[in-house]
Amino acid sequence: MLTKFESKSARVKGLAFHPVRPWICASLHNGVIQLWDYRVGTVIDRFEEHDGPVRGVDFHLHEPLIVTGGDDYKIKVWDYKLRRCLFTLLGHLDYIRTVQFHPNATQFPWILSASDDQTLRLWDFHKRSCLSVLTGHNHYVMCAAFHPSEDLIVSASLDQTVRVWDTTGLRKKHLGGPGMDGGYPGMMDANGNRGQSPAAATALNVQAELFGTNDVVVKYVLEGHDRGVNWAAFHPTLPLLASAADDRQVKLWRMSETKAWEVDTLRGHANNVSCCLFHPKQELVVSNSEDRSIRVWDVSKRVGVQTFRREGDRFWILAAHRSQNLLAAGHDSGMIVFKLERERPASASGPGDKLYYVRGRELFCHDYARATGGSSGVDVPIASLRRVGQQAQTDGIGSGPRFLSYNMHNPTEGNVLVCSEVDGGCYELITFSLTNAGGSVTDGKRGACLGPGVFLGRNRFAVLDRHKREIVVKNLNNETTKRVQAPVPNVDCLFDGGASGRIILRSDDRAVLFEVQSRRVIGELTAPKIKNIVWSPDGSKVALLCKYGVVIADRQLEQLCSISDTVRIKSGAWDISPTGGTNSNLFVYTTLHHVKYCLPTGDTGTIRTLDNPIYATRVVKDQLFCLDREARSRVISIDTTEARFKLALANKKYGQVMHMVRHSRLCGRAIVAYLQSKGFPEVALHFVRDPQTRFRLALACGNIEAAMESAFSLEQQQGAEGKARDVWGELGSEALRQGNHQVVEMSYQRKKDFDRLSFLYMLTGDMEKLRKMLKISNMRNDIMGRYHNALFLGDAAERVAVLEASGNLPLAYISAKLHGLEDVAERIKVAIETQEGTVEGLMDKVPVATKAGGRLLQPPTPIVRAGNWPTLEIKKTTLEDLSAADAGEEYEEETAPNADTGAGDAAAWGNDDFGDDAGLGAAVDDMGLDDDDDMGWGDDLDLGDDFAVETPKSAPVDEMAGLNEISDDAGFQMPPAGRPPAACWVANSSHAADHMAAGGASSAMQLLHRQIAASDFSVLKSSMLGCYLGSTVSLPGIPGSGSMMVPLMRNDAGGHPGNDSLPRTSYTMKTLVAGIRNGYRFFQGGKFNDSMNSFIQVLSQIPVTTANSREEANEMKEMIEICREYITAIRIKGAMAEVGADPVRSTELSAYLTHCKLQPAHLLLVLRSAMGTAFKHKNFIVAASFARRLLELPDMKSERNADLRMKATKVLQKSEQMARNEHTLDYNENAAFQIDCKDFVPIYQGDEHVKSSYSGAVYKGTTMKGKVCVIDGFSTVGVETIGLVTGK
């Protein structure tokens, strides 16, 4: 037994697997129903409305419904998306034991229930009525179940019988018309017409309750158990039955068209057998019992083959997954989800293009070289594997081979070690001819071992002794030649060591590379829960596959990189492409639902998704060869362009990088973004020729010379005003950060930033230029500039003159007095008194003797007066120095063999327009590029000229030589700064809100377009701007300086996250919940326009709201459905007002309105309105339907709705008397349908329709395909996308 999940709770009485999602529903003895995610191991939801134990539970196959039955005599149907009970079915008179949806519940909306009232009941959950009561048992009915494909029901009872019922009559009645005799009173035909009068219907209802109907008849009664039968189950495909009873026996029964008989009895349980079922994929019966055991029985041999015991807990229930090899068992203290065997096929790569693997009991060789058409190759059978021991004769219980090793050291013949875990571990050595693989097989030699065996050389192999944990070396005759003590304790597995005589030992969470001959440890590293090891084709690297990660090491087992994943790693394979440079450098691995890649540099990424798990065997270019769980060879197309690009960049193959950008689906902006995010902006700087992009990259890598060159070019293009001033401001900031004040001075001069220029002169102590700035201020009549310059110069007389000239005579008088300018003070005093003022008390306001008193300000003495400020010299990196690249490097690509980067290719780059791409990262966001920017790549890509450093004439010309008077220290640069927060936000997230918060509006819109097909962004404009404005806060600086923008982060609670930072967004779950509540309130009050605006606003805010947990993500997706339903309902309400004079259309619209998924209080209002509309227009059949639904609502029981309850009852009585529709309506309440959100017509199952990938709104036909959705107003209809991304 392989336990996948185990829970602790009260006694589990009922279990059901979700047909698609990794969920299991458990009903408990304390009345709680738990919904678990067994892959993650968390409770998703709890339902607690039953009073007493809940014994039966089942999932609907397609809809989000759960049905439960309990000891309170109630059957409840729940919507797990809405997280509430939809309705309750009443009728049973005693405990309900089991409930089940019909296997084809879309066509037959039936629920089957079994009860202690000695009956079975069939219910129509669409009509919420009882279809049939099955009587015949004379004791408690313990279980009932539908046949998976036939019109049969099986039931088991404590009257010691098993009954098989035939439901053919009920099926024909359900699919037939109104004219059929004996139709059930509640049945309607497709037009809603009833087949009987009300009196006849009442009489048949009574008859059905008392005696049952003849729609379902007993086909067989199986008698053979000595005590009460607890369970019975159909075989999924064969005409077999299994039953479990209190006589401690499991019986097998066979059915024919006319009779059924007992086949055999399975004995072994020591107490009452609680449950049994057929394994969905193997010929096995699984049963559990109150003797605290689960037993597995072989159907063909009719013997027990496995027993699993649990101390202290009795087992009560079993469940099997519909499509996966999963079982679940409920016991006294919880439940377990388990498998009976592993599903990974045993396989190993052989020499050349061969793969050896085991399918069933056969060893095959798959030859990839003989692939034809769409196949991956040809399967050649090698040998049949004999199985020794009783357990090994049964398939499906872990008796098959687990490991397979091929002898790569022997070129003359084929040697395969097949290892299994039967009887504690054993191996079989198979030898065969390589030229005639299927015709000359040497009989297998066997022995005991622990884990896989490993070939050490041409004629010897090693296995691990399972008792002493010694390494046993044997020859091909299966004779022991040596025993070696393991160098570390607790060794439990051997793996191939990548070379002759070497093995890798697994010990706890360590991997040890061991040489057997010299008995020395070569290398060791830590890797938790190692599952498998894959060596690269050249033997230079090894990938250690762990349970939740991959560790890549070199041949000496020194770690190169380590990555972790959130889901289990299934398999992996190295790229063996002969060209492209990825051979032995690209590792592709698979998880449960994804194909991913990993590079030795530590770069990872996702290549594609998977529908079902696969096991990779080899990778060649863009093809992944693999085995599925049935050991069938498959070929899957993959796109490794991104991985090859990153690998070429890591290997500094710049020519290949540029070739890939030119010929692959990589965008120029994506390249720049990746280069900058990985800290290589200097590499991109040598490729880019667009001045704007080049300027940004030069600033990012601190290259002041290149930035100045680009700034001059931009100034020539744009003129001295506008954007050019911003460019010089940014250049001045970077130069100031580096300490190059001469470049700062020039930048401020070109920007005409006089205030900063004055402050710079004050810091550098250049009094002469400061006096010139004072004169300039006088010429410009800049009062504040004059005052600041006078302040920096320490010129008190000038400051007094400025104050006097500006009319601030009291301040001028105080300043003159404080600085001892008595004559000036006297003159100002006269001026003040002339204006009828006074100077009395002015000096009292200025404390002189205290620290706060006025003092003469003098300019500070600069520390360094000569030349520029000192900066740190850094050597140019290899990446920055392009002369280290190989200009003549040649590489092969499938599309362009032997392509080299020459002058011809360089010319073509100048005309390329790299449009927007989803890979826009932090660098591009910060560049402010427009969509139509020509990236200008490739002007210097003629590497033959740029890199010919041996030839003096081709040495690069210093175009910045004319600026030496500004910066004579160009060789000195500060180290590059860390990444700005905005760059981190974009690199760390694929959520549009995070990109928008970083200022990347273009990439944010592209993400929304690709994820939810957004096309009209005018609706989202305010929400997106809110994200941008809410991600930072402005802090005021010191007087005279600008404000500082401080980023707000949402993951800094435990400290600064560094490069892993993410922005705080302005919209949260509270914002959305408040919007939903406003919509509810307006809807309740009849303010439909306000309500619609609230829901539309929530729809526009959800794409830019980040979820902090899976629960919040699920809630956001539920909110989309809520908004869609309410917007549709309000639009239908508006359409009703427009067609009020048309009785047919108004009745139809009111009927459609009742099928919108609204809150119960709102549904009450809608049903009340629809009932009145239908009754007024004399459509009594639908009026009666609305009245019934209205009376079934829980809120109708309250006193405040007493009048409405009375009116609904009267309408129902009157409608049942009239029993006709005045008009023919396009409405069938018995069939499930969706509402066309544009034309408001029903869309039944099978009708052609298109759907919005964001709001989920559906439209009949294809006329709306490619148009904007009318519900959300911004997404394109009919585009299939990945859907809403709710978190990082």
Side-chain angles (χ1 to χ4, degrees), residues 626-703:
C626 57
L627 294 174
D628 58 19
R629 283 182 161 171
E630 284 72 39
R632 303 286 179 182
S633 184
R634 296 173 54 194
V635 183
I636 293 178
S637 297
I638 58 175
D639 185 358
T640 58
T641 306
E642 179 184 328
R644 287 186 278 116
F645 164 69
K646 293 180 179 179
L647 189 62
L649 179 64
N651 294 333
K652 305 182 183 67
K653 298 179 179 179
Y654 305 121
Q656 184 176 353
V657 169
M658 296 308 301
H659 182 275
M660 290 180 64
V661 176
R662 182 67 179 87
H663 295 284
S664 304
R665 291 190 305 167
L666 285 175
C667 176
R669 297 184 181 182
I671 292 178
V672 173
Y674 178 75
L675 291 171
Q676 194 163 1
S677 67
K678 298 299 288 184
F680 300 148
E682 64 272 16
V683 180
L685 184 62
H686 288 277
F687 295 150
V688 178
R689 275 295 168 264
D690 175 65
Q692 184 75 31
T693 309
R694 188 174 174 80
F695 177 76
R696 302 293 178 188
L697 290 171
L699 290 185
C701 61
N703 191 331

Side-chain angles (χ1 to χ4, degrees), residues 652 654 877-879 881-887 947:
K652 305 182 183 67
Y654 305 121
T877 63
T878 307
L879 291 173
D881 189 3
L882 271 181
S883 61
D886 182 9
F947 285 6

Side-chain angles (χ1 to χ4, degrees), residues 206 1165 1179:
V206 175
L1165 300 174
N1179 295 310

Side-chain angles (χ1 to χ4, degrees), residues 867-889:
N868 223 335
W869 288 338
T871 55
L872 179 66
E873 180 183 8
I874 358 174
K875 296 180 180 178
K876 290 186 177 180
T877 63
T878 307
L879 291 173
E880 188 180 2
D881 189 3
L882 271 181
S883 61
D886 182 9
E889 177 187 12

Side-chain angles (χ1 to χ4, degrees), residues 512-567:
V512 179
L513 181 60
F514 182 64
E515 193 170 70
V516 177
Q517 186 67 29
S518 61
R519 305 191 181 189
R520 66 188 179 95
V521 174
I522 299 174
E524 180 178 339
L525 59 77
T526 300
K529 299 180 181 179
I530 302 173
K531 299 297 182 182
N532 197 7
I533 281 179
V534 183
W535 283 93
S536 62
D538 60 3
S540 63
K541 301 178 186 69
V542 60
L544 285 73
L545 301 184
C546 305
K547 191 173 184 178
Y548 293 105
V550 178
V551 179
I552 295 182
D554 61 13
R555 63 183 305 165
Q556 303 300 323
L557 215 60
E558 294 182 0
Q559 181 171 318
L560 300 177
C561 75
S562 174
I563 64 162
S564 60
D565 212 316
T566 55
V567 295

Side-chain angles (χ1 to χ4, degrees), residues 782-827:
D782 183 2
I783 296 297
M784 287 304 299
R786 285 180 59 193
Y787 188 81
H788 284 149
N789 284 304
L791 190 66
F792 296 154
L793 285 167
D795 190 342
E798 180 64 22
R799 291 207 298 271
V800 173
V802 171
L803 291 173
E804 186 178 2
S806 63
N808 293 293
L809 296 180
L811 287 177
Y813 175 77
I814 294 173
S815 182
K817 289 290 288 184
L818 285 176
H819 292 91
L821 303 175
E822 296 296 339
D823 296 340
V824 177
E826 226 19 73
R827 178 171 51 80

Side-chain angles (χ1 to χ4, degrees), residues 1-5 15-24 37-39 277-282 286 318-329 336-343 396 568 570 592 613 629:
M1 176 189 290
L2 301 173
T3 302
K4 294 293 182 181
F5 166 67
L15 287 172
F17 280 102
H18 192 282
V20 179
R21 298 181 180 179
W23 294 353
I24 186 168
D37 187 320
Y38 54 79
R39 189 182 299 166
L277 53 80
F278 288 95
H279 194 283
K281 293 191 175 183
Q282 304 290 344
V286 185
L318 280 170
H321 199 286
R322 293 175 184 266
S323 58
Q324 298 182 23
N325 186 20
L326 284 175
L327 300 171
I336 53 173
V337 178
F338 61 96
K339 288 182 179 181
L340 295 180
E341 67 169 354
R342 299 183 188 275
E343 297 178 275
R568 295 184 178 181
K570 290 294 181 182
L592 204 59
R629 283 182 161 171

Side-chain angles (χ1 to χ4, degrees), residues 443-498:
D443 188 24
K445 301 175 178 62
R446 298 175 179 81
C449 69
L450 178 64
V454 177
F455 286 99
L456 296 177
R458 186 179 62 83
N459 57 359
R460 57 199 175 106
F461 64 93
V463 294
L464 187 64
D465 188 289
R466 65 191 187 200
H467 300 296
K468 299 181 180 179
R469 303 293 174 95
E470 291 180 336
I471 302 168
V472 182
V473 181
K474 299 191 175 189
N475 58 26
L476 297 186
N477 294 323
N478 206 23
E479 300 167 345
T480 301
T481 59
K482 184 187 296 184
R483 286 181 174 269
V484 179
Q485 189 67 35
V488 292
N490 302 326
V491 174
D492 57 3
C493 194
L494 302 182
F495 295 107
D496 184 17

